[in-house]
Amino acid sequence: MTDTRARYQDVLNAISRSAKDSGRKPEDICLIAVSKTYPAEAIEPVLEAGQRDFGENYVQEASAKWPVLRERFPATVLHLIGPLQSNKAREAVELFDVIQSVDRESLAKELAKEIKRKVEAGGQAPKLLVQINTGEEPQKGGVLPQDADAFIAACREQYGLKIHGLMCIPPFDEPPSPHFALLRKIAERNGLKELSMGMSADFDPAIQMGATCVRIGTAIFGSRQKA
Ligand SMILES: *Cc1c(COP(=O)(O)O)cnc(C)c1O
């Protein structure tokens, strides 16, 4: 566990350095610690070190782990960064503060319905990010770049959703910077401020290209067991 704390501190320092190197303020970059596949015992030292934003990929896994941790750390901000099935929209809206994987109209429609229900019951709407499939990879979620403007407009106008920003996962085997640049361009022309881009291997270029949040798993928690 001391390893986890040391790695966490290294990541914070590296983010700070990248920010300063690109003339940005470290506090303008949000670190999301990606805790998918890790049990509560592995997450606790990072919570105790003061980390507040966490990313999870699966609704089921997150709802098993986080309600208990959150009782002890109520300021936790939970981000859903994995694909979301429409039939899990209600659970996701209940559990997550940010949903970063909005990527199709059927999901936008379900989210609109579930957010309305939650807000009417006195709850808070999660922030929403649209995932863009910048590499146009068939196996990956996300809206194709050429469909992004129309999709964002539909979210806003047809479903009344407030969109806060964009998220992407560049192809594993390509230089990431062109993908980060594309995400930024789509965000700028749609008036969106949040750019969720950069993971353990590529958060430095992401920060140089304007990332407002980076999603970092293995560099903090160590390598994951393949499920
Ligand atoms: C797993 C995951 C991450 C973290 O990846 P690491 O390489 O472990 O830092 C970030 N974003 C998404 C969408 C992920 O699924």
Side-chain angles (χ1 to χ4, degrees):
M1 290 309 136
T2 51
D3 280 1
T4 306
R5 284 192 80 135
R7 282 192 298 257
Y8 172 62
Q9 196 53 55
D10 287 346
V11 166
L12 288 178
N13 294 341
I15 290 172
S16 238
R17 261 196 317 275
S18 298
K20 285 176 187 151
D21 285 351
S22 42
R24 304 182 60 199
K25 293 197 212 106
E27 62 268 26
D28 290 345
I29 294 142
C30 170
L31 165 61
I32 301 172
V34 177
S35 49
K36 66 179 175 208
T37 78
Y38 280 93
E41 307 84 76
I43 302 171
E44 275 164 14
V46 180
L47 280 160
E48 280 158 6
Q51 174 64 24
R52 288 298 167 260
D53 287 79
F54 287 84
E56 291 281 349
N57 283 54
Y58 309 100
V59 175
Q60 217 76 9
E61 182 188 339
S63 59
K65 281 193 310 209
W66 280 99
V68 178
L69 286 169
R70 251 187 179 162
E71 281 177 25
R72 287 175 48 213
F73 300 95
T76 299
V77 179
L78 269 191
H79 301 250
L80 178 65
I81 61 172
L84 177 58
Q85 291 169 272
S86 298
N87 64 8
K88 299 240 172 70
R90 179 176 302 180
E91 216 180 332
V93 165
E94 286 302 323
L95 184 65
F96 289 94
D97 303 290
V98 186
I99 296 174
Q100 301 206 356
S101 48
V102 182
D103 68 353
R104 56 195 194 280
E105 289 218 21
S106 56
L107 177 59
K109 189 174 172 190
E110 275 309 295
L111 287 171
K113 192 174 87 189
E114 296 305 335
I115 289 171
K116 183 163 180 278
R117 177 200 301 274
K118 187 180 181 188
V119 169
E120 281 172 0
Q124 195 153 14
K127 279 194 183 187
L128 302 177
L129 274 62
V130 168
Q131 182 177 349
I132 307 291
N133 187 352
T134 57
E136 308 187 26
E137 296 171 280
Q139 81 284 9
K140 210 168 258 178
V143 179
L144 294 174
Q146 61 269 29
D147 299 335
D149 296 356
F151 180 72
I152 294 162
C155 284
R156 288 168 164 163
E157 288 151 27
Q158 213 163 322
Y159 303 107
L161 294 172
K162 181 165 169 52
I163 302 297
H164 289 80
L166 302 179
M167 184 268 261
C168 77
I169 311 166
F172 177 69
D173 53 355
E174 284 181 29
S177 289
H179 296 274
F180 298 150
L182 175 59
L183 196 72
R184 180 177 174 156
K185 206 169 89 184
I186 296 170
E188 279 171 356
R189 69 173 184 245
N190 286 281
L192 296 169
K193 292 215 159 60
E194 301 276 338
L195 283 174
S196 173
M197 55 191 201
M199 321 203 308
S200 292
D202 56 15
F203 65 85
D204 178 63
I207 289 170
Q208 288 179 38
M209 308 290 304
T212 59
C213 60
V214 292
R215 311 177 307 267
I216 300 183
T218 48
I220 297 172
F221 295 104
S223 57
R224 290 178 290 273
Q225 308 287 329
K226 249 322 202 189

